[in-house]
Amino acid sequence: MKSISVKSNAEIKKMRTAGKLVAEVLDMIENYILHDITTEELNEICHNYIIQKQKSIPACLGYNGYPKSICTSVNDVVCHGIPNIKQKLKEGDIINIDVAIIHNGYYSDTSKMFILGSPSILSKRLCHVAKESLYLALHLIKPNLPLYKIGQEIEKYVKKQNFSVVREYCGHGIGKNFHEDPQILHCDNQDQGIILKPGMTFTIEPMINAGSNQVRCMKDGWTVKTKDRSLSAQYEHTILVTKNGCEILTLQEKENISAVLYN
């Protein structure tokens, strides 16, 4: 059995602060998601905000050699898209911005989709299903829930929408470390015998493809794209398992969901 960290009240307090700060980065950057802005400019804005205003550390920068402070995954990029001065956003693009910070020694991690201008019906629906798949999982979380149920229910919902779930990348425990046990799979998977307990903190971050769930990693060693070049969307929250359900530590300002869920 894997050793899964259960956070103390003092640790939870620090993680709430880190979660609030990382959510504020996504709230802040929304006003800058405009036609012709480059993904590198978005990276610089987020980097400066995290360092200067929040007095925090961009967790992605330098992590296993990753060269930027955020991930910017546009259209058929599933995850880990590297900001680039040559990549300008254009009408109809969908972009996932993934931000993680370290504050007072604790990590927090979140992402969301942004749509430029008037989206296609497919783009809009894909982003909606990706968000709903995350929210569906959040409404499941409670003590004594077998961990495998999260992925099982996400994939069941996504398949009904005629989309697919990426299997190679998953959510993860988080706290003093960026990535801790357990791994949170977003697809139907084998029961590993892990049962949720109050005080566990982890991310849920389903990656949903409009076409096949197959992906390919590009030559830069980071950027992951859909193999069939179909669109991909992802939403992510860091959550805390509570005595009665869960608490969303990275809730953003305009989200239509309660921060504390009683499940």
Side-chain angles (χ1 to χ4, degrees), residues 190-240:
Q190 188 176 355
D191 184 3
Q192 300 175 51
I194 298 172
I195 303 294
L196 299 188
K197 296 178 182 178
M200 288 181 175
T201 52
F202 51 82
T203 71
I204 305 177
E205 45 184 299
M207 302 168 201
I208 311 302
N209 293 350
S212 163
N213 64 2
Q214 294 189 348
V215 299
R216 57 202 170 104
C217 188
M218 308 311 287
K219 289 180 180 179
D220 61 26
W222 286 102
T223 306
V224 177
K225 291 188 175 186
T226 56
K227 202 165 185 179
D228 60 6
R229 301 184 180 179
S230 63
L231 295 172
S232 188
Q234 177 195 22
Y235 287 80
E236 173 185 12
H237 273 310
T238 297
I239 69 101
L240 163 73

mmCIF file of all heavy atoms in Angstrom, residues 190-240:
data_model
loop_
_atom_site.group_PDB
_atom_site.id
_atom_site.type_symbol
_atom_site.label_atom_id
_atom_site.label_comp_id
_atom_site.label_asym_id
_atom_site.label_seq_id
_atom_site.Cartn_x
_atom_site.Cartn_y
_atom_site.Cartn_z
ATOM 1 N N GLN A 190 -8.162 -0.170 -12.508
ATOM 2 C CA GLN A 190 -8.192 -1.233 -11.510
ATOM 3 C C GLN A 190 -8.188 -0.659 -10.094
ATOM 4 O O GLN A 190 -7.507 0.322 -9.811
ATOM 5 C CB GLN A 190 -6.972 -2.147 -11.697
ATOM 6 C CG GLN A 190 -6.983 -3.401 -10.856
ATOM 7 C CD GLN A 190 -5.796 -4.304 -11.177
ATOM 8 O OE1 GLN A 190 -5.037 -4.018 -12.100
ATOM 9 N NE2 GLN A 190 -5.650 -5.373 -10.441
ATOM 10 N N ASP A 191 -8.956 -1.274 -9.221
ATOM 11 C CA ASP A 191 -8.995 -0.873 -7.812
ATOM 12 C C ASP A 191 -7.640 -1.180 -7.166
ATOM 13 O O ASP A 191 -7.223 -2.336 -7.104
ATOM 14 C CB ASP A 191 -10.121 -1.631 -7.101
ATOM 15 C CG ASP A 191 -10.283 -1.197 -5.649
ATOM 16 O OD1 ASP A 191 -9.561 -0.271 -5.214
ATOM 17 O OD2 ASP A 191 -11.139 -1.777 -4.966
ATOM 18 N N GLN A 192 -6.949 -0.123 -6.711
ATOM 19 C CA GLN A 192 -5.646 -0.299 -6.063
ATOM 20 C C GLN A 192 -5.783 -0.431 -4.543
ATOM 21 O O GLN A 192 -4.785 -0.480 -3.817
ATOM 22 C CB GLN A 192 -4.737 0.886 -6.390
ATOM 23 C CG GLN A 192 -4.471 1.063 -7.872
ATOM 24 C CD GLN A 192 -3.657 2.320 -8.155
ATOM 25 O OE1 GLN A 192 -2.620 2.544 -7.553
ATOM 26 N NE2 GLN A 192 -4.139 3.143 -9.069
ATOM 27 N N GLY A 193 -7.006 -0.436 -4.062
ATOM 28 C CA GLY A 193 -7.230 -0.571 -2.627
ATOM 29 C C GLY A 193 -7.070 0.719 -1.850
ATOM 30 O O GLY A 193 -7.016 0.708 -0.618
ATOM 31 N N ILE A 194 -6.976 1.857 -2.570
ATOM 32 C CA ILE A 194 -6.822 3.154 -1.892
ATOM 33 C C ILE A 194 -8.203 3.732 -1.574
ATOM 34 O O ILE A 194 -9.055 3.849 -2.456
ATOM 35 C CB ILE A 194 -6.009 4.135 -2.759
ATOM 36 C CG1 ILE A 194 -4.593 3.591 -2.991
ATOM 37 C CG2 ILE A 194 -5.966 5.513 -2.121
ATOM 38 C CD1 ILE A 194 -3.777 4.378 -3.993
ATOM 39 N N ILE A 195 -8.398 4.090 -0.317
ATOM 40 C CA ILE A 195 -9.662 4.656 0.153
ATOM 41 C C ILE A 195 -9.405 6.098 0.605
ATOM 42 O O ILE A 195 -8.424 6.364 1.315
ATOM 43 C CB ILE A 195 -10.225 3.826 1.343
ATOM 44 C CG1 ILE A 195 -10.398 2.363 0.937
ATOM 45 C CG2 ILE A 195 -11.525 4.427 1.855
ATOM 46 C CD1 ILE A 195 -11.432 2.116 -0.124
ATOM 47 N N LEU A 196 -10.265 7.016 0.216
ATOM 48 C CA LEU A 196 -10.075 8.418 0.574
ATOM 49 C C LEU A 196 -10.288 8.645 2.067
ATOM 50 O O LEU A 196 -11.182 8.058 2.683
ATOM 51 C CB LEU A 196 -11.023 9.303 -0.228
ATOM 52 C CG LEU A 196 -10.865 9.267 -1.748
ATOM 53 C CD1 LEU A 196 -11.733 10.341 -2.402
ATOM 54 C CD2 LEU A 196 -9.407 9.446 -2.175
ATOM 55 N N LYS A 197 -9.440 9.531 2.625
ATOM 56 C CA LYS A 197 -9.529 9.888 4.032
ATOM 57 C C LYS A 197 -9.492 11.409 4.179
ATOM 58 O O LYS A 197 -8.856 12.094 3.366
ATOM 59 C CB LYS A 197 -8.341 9.293 4.805
ATOM 60 C CG LYS A 197 -8.282 7.789 4.838
ATOM 61 C CD LYS A 197 -7.047 7.331 5.595
ATOM 62 C CE LYS A 197 -6.938 5.810 5.604
ATOM 63 N NZ LYS A 197 -5.704 5.368 6.300
ATOM 64 N N PRO A 198 -10.143 11.950 5.219
ATOM 65 C CA PRO A 198 -10.057 13.394 5.463
ATOM 66 C C PRO A 198 -8.606 13.829 5.617
ATOM 67 O O PRO A 198 -7.794 13.126 6.242
ATOM 68 C CB PRO A 198 -10.831 13.569 6.780
ATOM 69 C CG PRO A 198 -11.739 12.399 6.859
ATOM 70 C CD PRO A 198 -10.999 11.263 6.208
ATOM 71 N N GLY A 199 -8.271 14.971 5.013
ATOM 72 C CA GLY A 199 -6.914 15.492 5.091
ATOM 73 C C GLY A 199 -6.058 15.186 3.874
ATOM 74 O O GLY A 199 -4.966 15.743 3.727
ATOM 75 N N MET A 200 -6.534 14.299 3.001
ATOM 76 C CA MET A 200 -5.814 14.064 1.750
ATOM 77 C C MET A 200 -6.011 15.271 0.816
ATOM 78 O O MET A 200 -7.097 15.842 0.749
ATOM 79 C CB MET A 200 -6.328 12.807 1.053
ATOM 80 C CG MET A 200 -5.942 11.503 1.711
ATOM 81 S SD MET A 200 -6.589 10.089 0.751
ATOM 82 C CE MET A 200 -5.867 8.719 1.659
ATOM 83 N N THR A 201 -4.955 15.631 0.124
ATOM 84 C CA THR A 201 -5.035 16.720 -0.863
ATOM 85 C C THR A 201 -4.467 16.222 -2.188
ATOM 86 O O THR A 201 -3.402 15.611 -2.220
ATOM 87 C CB THR A 201 -4.240 17.958 -0.400
ATOM 88 O OG1 THR A 201 -2.907 17.559 -0.043
ATOM 89 C CG2 THR A 201 -4.904 18.627 0.789
ATOM 90 N N PHE A 202 -5.206 16.486 -3.258
ATOM 91 C CA PHE A 202 -4.745 16.046 -4.576
ATOM 92 C C PHE A 202 -5.431 16.857 -5.672
ATOM 93 O O PHE A 202 -6.384 17.593 -5.422
ATOM 94 C CB PHE A 202 -4.975 14.548 -4.785
ATOM 95 C CG PHE A 202 -6.376 14.059 -4.497
ATOM 96 C CD1 PHE A 202 -7.390 14.176 -5.430
ATOM 97 C CD2 PHE A 202 -6.664 13.459 -3.280
ATOM 98 C CE1 PHE A 202 -8.667 13.709 -5.169
ATOM 99 C CE2 PHE A 202 -7.945 12.981 -2.999
ATOM 100 C CZ PHE A 202 -8.949 13.110 -3.953
ATOM 101 N N THR A 203 -4.916 16.721 -6.879
ATOM 102 C CA THR A 203 -5.519 17.394 -8.032
ATOM 103 C C THR A 203 -6.385 16.404 -8.802
ATOM 104 O O THR A 203 -6.101 15.211 -8.851
ATOM 105 C CB THR A 203 -4.460 17.956 -8.996
ATOM 106 O OG1 THR A 203 -3.799 16.877 -9.675
ATOM 107 C CG2 THR A 203 -3.437 18.805 -8.266
ATOM 108 N N ILE A 204 -7.430 16.937 -9.394
ATOM 109 C CA ILE A 204 -8.210 16.216 -10.400
ATOM 110 C C ILE A 204 -8.140 17.074 -11.652
ATOM 111 O O ILE A 204 -8.425 18.270 -11.605
ATOM 112 C CB ILE A 204 -9.663 16.000 -9.958
ATOM 113 C CG1 ILE A 204 -9.717 15.294 -8.595
ATOM 114 C CG2 ILE A 204 -10.424 15.190 -11.005
ATOM 115 C CD1 ILE A 204 -11.117 15.110 -8.052
ATOM 116 N N GLU A 205 -7.749 16.485 -12.785
ATOM 117 C CA GLU A 205 -7.461 17.287 -13.981
ATOM 118 C C GLU A 205 -7.720 16.509 -15.274
ATOM 119 O O GLU A 205 -6.796 16.301 -16.072
ATOM 120 C CB GLU A 205 -6.014 17.784 -13.933
ATOM 121 C CG GLU A 205 -4.987 16.724 -13.532
ATOM 122 C CD GLU A 205 -3.583 17.292 -13.394
ATOM 123 O OE1 GLU A 205 -3.049 17.815 -14.399
ATOM 124 O OE2 GLU A 205 -3.028 17.209 -12.285
ATOM 125 N N PRO A 206 -8.952 16.072 -15.506
ATOM 126 C CA PRO A 206 -9.234 15.272 -16.705
ATOM 127 C C PRO A 206 -8.914 16.018 -17.999
ATOM 128 O O PRO A 206 -9.251 17.192 -18.162
ATOM 129 C CB PRO A 206 -10.728 14.976 -16.583
ATOM 130 C CG PRO A 206 -11.260 16.004 -15.642
ATOM 131 C CD PRO A 206 -10.153 16.329 -14.710
ATOM 132 N N MET A 207 -8.265 15.306 -18.913
ATOM 133 C CA MET A 207 -7.950 15.826 -20.251
ATOM 134 C C MET A 207 -8.867 15.111 -21.236
ATOM 135 O O MET A 207 -8.800 13.885 -21.358
ATOM 136 C CB MET A 207 -6.482 15.575 -20.585
ATOM 137 C CG MET A 207 -5.550 16.212 -19.579
ATOM 138 S SD MET A 207 -3.839 15.664 -19.737
ATOM 139 C CE MET A 207 -3.227 16.076 -18.101
ATOM 140 N N ILE A 208 -9.697 15.884 -21.909
ATOM 141 C CA ILE A 208 -10.762 15.326 -22.743
ATOM 142 C C ILE A 208 -10.512 15.681 -24.208
ATOM 143 O O ILE A 208 -10.322 16.853 -24.547
ATOM 144 C CB ILE A 208 -12.147 15.874 -22.307
ATOM 145 C CG1 ILE A 208 -12.316 15.758 -20.785
ATOM 146 C CG2 ILE A 208 -13.265 15.181 -23.062
ATOM 147 C CD1 ILE A 208 -12.183 14.366 -20.232
ATOM 148 N N ASN A 209 -10.509 14.661 -25.065
ATOM 149 C CA ASN A 209 -10.274 14.857 -26.498
ATOM 150 C C ASN A 209 -11.570 14.750 -27.291
ATOM 151 O O ASN A 209 -12.432 13.925 -26.970
ATOM 152 C CB ASN A 209 -9.292 13.816 -27.030
ATOM 153 C CG ASN A 209 -7.895 13.985 -26.457
ATOM 154 O OD1 ASN A 209 -7.592 14.989 -25.806
ATOM 155 N ND2 ASN A 209 -7.041 13.005 -26.687
ATOM 156 N N ALA A 210 -11.658 15.555 -28.341
ATOM 157 C CA ALA A 210 -12.837 15.492 -29.212
ATOM 158 C C ALA A 210 -12.824 14.231 -30.062
ATOM 159 O O ALA A 210 -13.872 13.732 -30.468
ATOM 160 C CB ALA A 210 -12.902 16.730 -30.104
ATOM 161 N N GLY A 211 -11.640 13.703 -30.335
ATOM 162 C CA GLY A 211 -11.508 12.488 -31.140
ATOM 163 C C GLY A 211 -10.972 11.340 -30.321
ATOM 164 O O GLY A 211 -11.453 11.054 -29.232
ATOM 165 N N SER A 212 -9.932 10.696 -30.844
ATOM 166 C CA SER A 212 -9.303 9.554 -30.162
ATOM 167 C C SER A 212 -8.593 10.008 -28.892
ATOM 168 O O SER A 212 -8.154 11.153 -28.787
ATOM 169 C CB SER A 212 -8.300 8.896 -31.114
ATOM 170 O OG SER A 212 -7.402 8.068 -30.412
ATOM 171 N N ASN A 213 -8.425 9.081 -27.947
ATOM 172 C CA ASN A 213 -7.685 9.422 -26.724
ATOM 173 C C ASN A 213 -6.174 9.275 -26.899
ATOM 174 O O ASN A 213 -5.412 9.546 -25.967
ATOM 175 C CB ASN A 213 -8.157 8.563 -25.542
ATOM 176 C CG ASN A 213 -7.872 7.075 -25.723
ATOM 177 O OD1 ASN A 213 -7.288 6.652 -26.714
ATOM 178 N ND2 ASN A 213 -8.297 6.273 -24.762
ATOM 179 N N GLN A 214 -5.720 8.891 -28.078
ATOM 180 C CA GLN A 214 -4.286 8.693 -28.299
ATOM 181 C C GLN A 214 -3.559 10.030 -28.437
ATOM 182 O O GLN A 214 -4.073 10.971 -29.041
ATOM 183 C CB GLN A 214 -4.054 7.832 -29.540
ATOM 184 C CG GLN A 214 -4.569 6.409 -29.380
ATOM 185 C CD GLN A 214 -4.132 5.509 -30.523
ATOM 186 O OE1 GLN A 214 -3.630 5.960 -31.547
ATOM 187 N NE2 GLN A 214 -4.326 4.212 -30.341
ATOM 188 N N VAL A 215 -2.349 10.080 -27.847
ATOM 189 C CA VAL A 215 -1.578 11.323 -27.831
ATOM 190 C C VAL A 215 -0.142 11.060 -28.281
ATOM 191 O O VAL A 215 0.305 9.913 -28.352
ATOM 192 C CB VAL A 215 -1.569 11.946 -26.415
ATOM 193 C CG1 VAL A 215 -2.973 12.286 -25.963
ATOM 194 C CG2 VAL A 215 -0.896 11.015 -25.404
ATOM 195 N N ARG A 216 0.573 12.133 -28.587
ATOM 196 C CA ARG A 216 1.988 12.019 -28.971
ATOM 197 C C ARG A 216 2.753 13.177 -28.339
ATOM 198 O O ARG A 216 2.225 14.299 -28.238
ATOM 199 C CB ARG A 216 2.147 12.050 -30.499
ATOM 200 C CG ARG A 216 1.562 13.288 -31.140
ATOM 201 C CD ARG A 216 1.225 13.097 -32.614
ATOM 202 N NE ARG A 216 0.450 14.233 -33.124
ATOM 203 C CZ ARG A 216 0.943 15.195 -33.905
ATOM 204 N NH1 ARG A 216 2.205 15.162 -34.278
ATOM 205 N NH2 ARG A 216 0.186 16.185 -34.316
ATOM 206 N N CYS A 217 3.968 12.911 -27.897
ATOM 207 C CA CYS A 217 4.811 13.947 -27.305
ATOM 208 C C CYS A 217 5.730 14.497 -28.387
ATOM 209 O O CYS A 217 6.345 13.744 -29.140
ATOM 210 C CB CYS A 217 5.629 13.381 -26.145
ATOM 211 S SG CYS A 217 6.522 14.648 -25.213
ATOM 212 N N MET A 218 5.828 15.822 -28.469
ATOM 213 C CA MET A 218 6.611 16.460 -29.515
ATOM 214 C C MET A 218 8.115 16.432 -29.190
ATOM 215 O O MET A 218 8.532 16.039 -28.092
ATOM 216 C CB MET A 218 6.136 17.908 -29.701
ATOM 217 C CG MET A 218 4.619 18.026 -29.912
ATOM 218 S SD MET A 218 3.949 16.906 -31.180
ATOM 219 C CE MET A 218 4.571 17.709 -32.658
ATOM 220 N N LYS A 219 8.915 16.877 -30.144
ATOM 221 C CA LYS A 219 10.368 16.787 -30.020
ATOM 222 C C LYS A 219 10.933 17.617 -28.872
ATOM 223 O O LYS A 219 12.050 17.364 -28.405
ATOM 224 C CB LYS A 219 11.037 17.215 -31.339
ATOM 225 C CG LYS A 219 10.857 16.204 -32.464
ATOM 226 C CD LYS A 219 11.540 16.675 -33.732
ATOM 227 C CE LYS A 219 11.354 15.664 -34.873
ATOM 228 N NZ LYS A 219 11.991 16.133 -36.130
ATOM 229 N N ASP A 220 10.164 18.630 -28.403
ATOM 230 C CA ASP A 220 10.672 19.438 -27.292
ATOM 231 C C ASP A 220 10.656 18.676 -25.966
ATOM 232 O O ASP A 220 11.165 19.150 -24.955
ATOM 233 C CB ASP A 220 9.901 20.758 -27.164
ATOM 234 C CG ASP A 220 8.401 20.568 -26.893
ATOM 235 O OD1 ASP A 220 8.014 19.535 -26.333
ATOM 236 O OD2 ASP A 220 7.627 21.482 -27.228
ATOM 237 N N GLY A 221 10.048 17.478 -25.978
ATOM 238 C CA GLY A 221 10.031 16.653 -24.782
ATOM 239 C C GLY A 221 8.935 16.993 -23.788
ATOM 240 O O GLY A 221 8.794 16.317 -22.761
ATOM 241 N N TRP A 222 8.137 18.011 -24.095
ATOM 242 C CA TRP A 222 7.077 18.447 -23.180
ATOM 243 C C TRP A 222 5.696 18.476 -23.817
ATOM 244 O O TRP A 222 4.748 17.909 -23.295
ATOM 245 C CB TRP A 222 7.398 19.854 -22.620
ATOM 246 C CG TRP A 222 8.469 19.836 -21.603
ATOM 247 C CD1 TRP A 222 9.781 20.187 -21.765
ATOM 248 C CD2 TRP A 222 8.351 19.426 -20.234
ATOM 249 N NE1 TRP A 222 10.480 20.024 -20.595
ATOM 250 C CE2 TRP A 222 9.627 19.573 -19.640
ATOM 251 C CE3 TRP A 222 7.301 18.961 -19.449
ATOM 252 C CZ2 TRP A 222 9.864 19.255 -18.294
ATOM 253 C CZ3 TRP A 222 7.526 18.650 -18.113
ATOM 254 C CH2 TRP A 222 8.789 18.796 -17.555
ATOM 255 N N THR A 223 5.598 19.167 -24.959
ATOM 256 C CA THR A 223 4.297 19.408 -25.579
ATOM 257 C C THR A 223 3.639 18.097 -25.990
ATOM 258 O O THR A 223 4.202 17.329 -26.774
ATOM 259 C CB THR A 223 4.442 20.314 -26.812
ATOM 260 O OG1 THR A 223 5.125 21.514 -26.430
ATOM 261 C CG2 THR A 223 3.082 20.664 -27.390
ATOM 262 N N VAL A 224 2.431 17.850 -25.464
ATOM 263 C CA VAL A 224 1.672 16.646 -25.791
ATOM 264 C C VAL A 224 0.475 17.041 -26.645
ATOM 265 O O VAL A 224 -0.316 17.919 -26.259
ATOM 266 C CB VAL A 224 1.192 15.928 -24.511
ATOM 267 C CG1 VAL A 224 0.347 14.713 -24.861
ATOM 268 C CG2 VAL A 224 2.392 15.520 -23.657
ATOM 269 N N LYS A 225 0.347 16.416 -27.814
ATOM 270 C CA LYS A 225 -0.756 16.713 -28.730
ATOM 271 C C LYS A 225 -1.626 15.479 -28.958
ATOM 272 O O LYS A 225 -1.175 14.347 -28.760
ATOM 273 C CB LYS A 225 -0.222 17.195 -30.085
ATOM 274 C CG LYS A 225 0.444 18.559 -30.047
ATOM 275 C CD LYS A 225 0.769 19.031 -31.466
ATOM 276 C CE LYS A 225 1.321 20.449 -31.464
ATOM 277 N NZ LYS A 225 1.508 20.966 -32.862
ATOM 278 N N THR A 226 -2.851 15.709 -29.411
ATOM 279 C CA THR A 226 -3.692 14.589 -29.821
ATOM 280 C C THR A 226 -3.095 13.983 -31.083
ATOM 281 O O THR A 226 -2.631 14.697 -31.972
ATOM 282 C CB THR A 226 -5.129 15.050 -30.103
ATOM 283 O OG1 THR A 226 -5.107 16.095 -31.101
ATOM 284 C CG2 THR A 226 -5.799 15.602 -28.849
ATOM 285 N N LYS A 227 -3.097 12.674 -31.164
ATOM 286 C CA LYS A 227 -2.497 11.988 -32.310
ATOM 287 C C LYS A 227 -3.266 12.289 -33.591
ATOM 288 O O LYS A 227 -2.683 12.394 -34.671
ATOM 289 C CB LYS A 227 -2.453 10.487 -32.053
ATOM 290 C CG LYS A 227 -1.425 9.748 -32.889
ATOM 291 C CD LYS A 227 -1.167 8.355 -32.357
ATOM 292 C CE LYS A 227 -0.035 7.691 -33.135
ATOM 293 N NZ LYS A 227 0.258 6.335 -32.624
ATOM 294 N N ASP A 228 -4.605 12.411 -33.474
ATOM 295 C CA ASP A 228 -5.426 12.654 -34.662
ATOM 296 C C ASP A 228 -5.677 14.139 -34.923
ATOM 297 O O ASP A 228 -6.487 14.508 -35.752
ATOM 298 C CB ASP A 228 -6.762 11.908 -34.548
ATOM 299 C CG ASP A 228 -7.577 12.346 -33.339
ATOM 300 O OD1 ASP A 228 -7.172 13.312 -32.651
ATOM 301 O OD2 ASP A 228 -8.628 11.724 -33.075
ATOM 302 N N ARG A 229 -4.994 14.993 -34.164
ATOM 303 C CA ARG A 229 -5.082 16.457 -34.305
ATOM 304 C C ARG A 229 -6.447 17.021 -33.931
ATOM 305 O O ARG A 229 -6.793 18.146 -34.297
ATOM 306 C CB ARG A 229 -4.668 16.899 -35.721
ATOM 307 C CG ARG A 229 -3.243 16.488 -36.069
ATOM 308 C CD ARG A 229 -2.785 17.006 -37.409
ATOM 309 N NE ARG A 229 -1.415 16.583 -37.680
ATOM 310 C CZ ARG A 229 -0.743 16.867 -38.791
ATOM 311 N NH1 ARG A 229 -1.319 17.571 -39.745
ATOM 312 N NH2 ARG A 229 0.495 16.440 -38.948
ATOM 313 N N SER A 230 -7.228 16.250 -33.199
ATOM 314 C CA SER A 230 -8.514 16.749 -32.707
ATOM 315 C C SER A 230 -8.274 17.688 -31.534
ATOM 316 O O SER A 230 -7.199 17.719 -30.933
ATOM 317 C CB SER A 230 -9.412 15.585 -32.285
ATOM 318 O OG SER A 230 -8.828 14.868 -31.211
ATOM 319 N N LEU A 231 -9.292 18.469 -31.187
ATOM 320 C CA LEU A 231 -9.199 19.413 -30.082
ATOM 321 C C LEU A 231 -9.128 18.676 -28.744
ATOM 322 O O LEU A 231 -9.622 17.554 -28.609
ATOM 323 C CB LEU A 231 -10.413 20.342 -30.076
ATOM 324 C CG LEU A 231 -10.569 21.287 -31.268
ATOM 325 C CD1 LEU A 231 -11.911 22.000 -31.203
ATOM 326 C CD2 LEU A 231 -9.425 22.305 -31.321
ATOM 327 N N SER A 232 -8.519 19.343 -27.756
ATOM 328 C CA SER A 232 -8.446 18.791 -26.412
ATOM 329 C C SER A 232 -8.728 19.892 -25.400
ATOM 330 O O SER A 232 -8.401 21.067 -25.640
ATOM 331 C CB SER A 232 -7.060 18.191 -26.150
ATOM 332 O OG SER A 232 -7.023 17.499 -24.914
ATOM 333 N N ALA A 233 -9.361 19.518 -24.273
ATOM 334 C CA ALA A 233 -9.680 20.501 -23.229
ATOM 335 C C ALA A 233 -9.447 19.894 -21.854
ATOM 336 O O ALA A 233 -9.572 18.683 -21.662
ATOM 337 C CB ALA A 233 -11.122 20.975 -23.361
ATOM 338 N N GLN A 234 -9.132 20.773 -20.889
ATOM 339 C CA GLN A 234 -8.823 20.302 -19.534
ATOM 340 C C GLN A 234 -9.165 21.382 -18.515
ATOM 341 O O GLN A 234 -8.947 22.573 -18.747
ATOM 342 C CB GLN A 234 -7.329 19.973 -19.422
ATOM 343 C CG GLN A 234 -6.904 19.535 -18.026
ATOM 344 C CD GLN A 234 -5.394 19.557 -17.828
ATOM 345 O OE1 GLN A 234 -4.690 20.253 -18.537
ATOM 346 N NE2 GLN A 234 -4.912 18.800 -16.875
ATOM 347 N N TYR A 235 -9.705 20.944 -17.385
ATOM 348 C CA TYR A 235 -9.867 21.800 -16.204
ATOM 349 C C TYR A 235 -9.253 21.066 -15.026
ATOM 350 O O TYR A 235 -9.311 19.828 -14.951
ATOM 351 C CB TYR A 235 -11.343 22.084 -15.924
ATOM 352 C CG TYR A 235 -11.976 23.053 -16.888
ATOM 353 C CD1 TYR A 235 -12.397 22.639 -18.150
ATOM 354 C CD2 TYR A 235 -12.148 24.399 -16.555
ATOM 355 C CE1 TYR A 235 -12.975 23.519 -19.044
ATOM 356 C CE2 TYR A 235 -12.726 25.287 -17.439
ATOM 357 C CZ TYR A 235 -13.139 24.850 -18.684
ATOM 358 O OH TYR A 235 -13.706 25.721 -19.573
ATOM 359 N N GLU A 236 -8.706 21.830 -14.078
ATOM 360 C CA GLU A 236 -8.022 21.207 -12.943
ATOM 361 C C GLU A 236 -8.268 21.992 -11.667
ATOM 362 O O GLU A 236 -8.249 23.222 -11.655
ATOM 363 C CB GLU A 236 -6.510 21.170 -13.207
ATOM 364 C CG GLU A 236 -5.680 20.689 -12.039
ATOM 365 C CD GLU A 236 -4.176 20.782 -12.290
ATOM 366 O OE1 GLU A 236 -3.778 21.432 -13.273
ATOM 367 O OE2 GLU A 236 -3.418 20.216 -11.494
ATOM 368 N N HIS A 237 -8.475 21.254 -10.579
ATOM 369 C CA HIS A 237 -8.526 21.854 -9.249
ATOM 370 C C HIS A 237 -7.675 21.049 -8.278
ATOM 371 O O HIS A 237 -7.507 19.835 -8.437
ATOM 372 C CB HIS A 237 -9.956 21.886 -8.706
ATOM 373 C CG HIS A 237 -10.725 23.102 -9.113
ATOM 374 N ND1 HIS A 237 -10.230 24.386 -8.974
ATOM 375 C CD2 HIS A 237 -11.976 23.247 -9.640
ATOM 376 C CE1 HIS A 237 -11.134 25.262 -9.408
ATOM 377 N NE2 HIS A 237 -12.185 24.587 -9.818
ATOM 378 N N THR A 238 -7.137 21.748 -7.288
ATOM 379 C CA THR A 238 -6.547 21.097 -6.121
ATOM 380 C C THR A 238 -7.634 21.023 -5.052
ATOM 381 O O THR A 238 -8.288 22.030 -4.760
ATOM 382 C CB THR A 238 -5.343 21.895 -5.586
ATOM 383 O OG1 THR A 238 -4.313 21.927 -6.579
ATOM 384 C CG2 THR A 238 -4.794 21.275 -4.317
ATOM 385 N N ILE A 239 -7.834 19.840 -4.486
ATOM 386 C CA ILE A 239 -8.921 19.666 -3.523
ATOM 387 C C ILE A 239 -8.414 19.030 -2.220
ATOM 388 O O ILE A 239 -7.367 18.384 -2.181
ATOM 389 C CB ILE A 239 -10.091 18.833 -4.112
ATOM 390 C CG1 ILE A 239 -9.675 17.355 -4.324
ATOM 391 C CG2 ILE A 239 -10.586 19.431 -5.403
ATOM 392 C CD1 ILE A 239 -10.172 16.430 -3.263
ATOM 393 N N LEU A 240 -9.207 19.248 -1.177
ATOM 394 C CA LEU A 240 -8.980 18.661 0.137
ATOM 395 C C LEU A 240 -10.159 17.760 0.468
ATOM 396 O O LEU A 240 -11.314 18.182 0.359
ATOM 397 C CB LEU A 240 -8.875 19.774 1.180
ATOM 398 C CG LEU A 240 -9.045 19.384 2.661
ATOM 399 C CD1 LEU A 240 -7.820 18.621 3.160
ATOM 400 C CD2 LEU A 240 -9.288 20.634 3.519
#
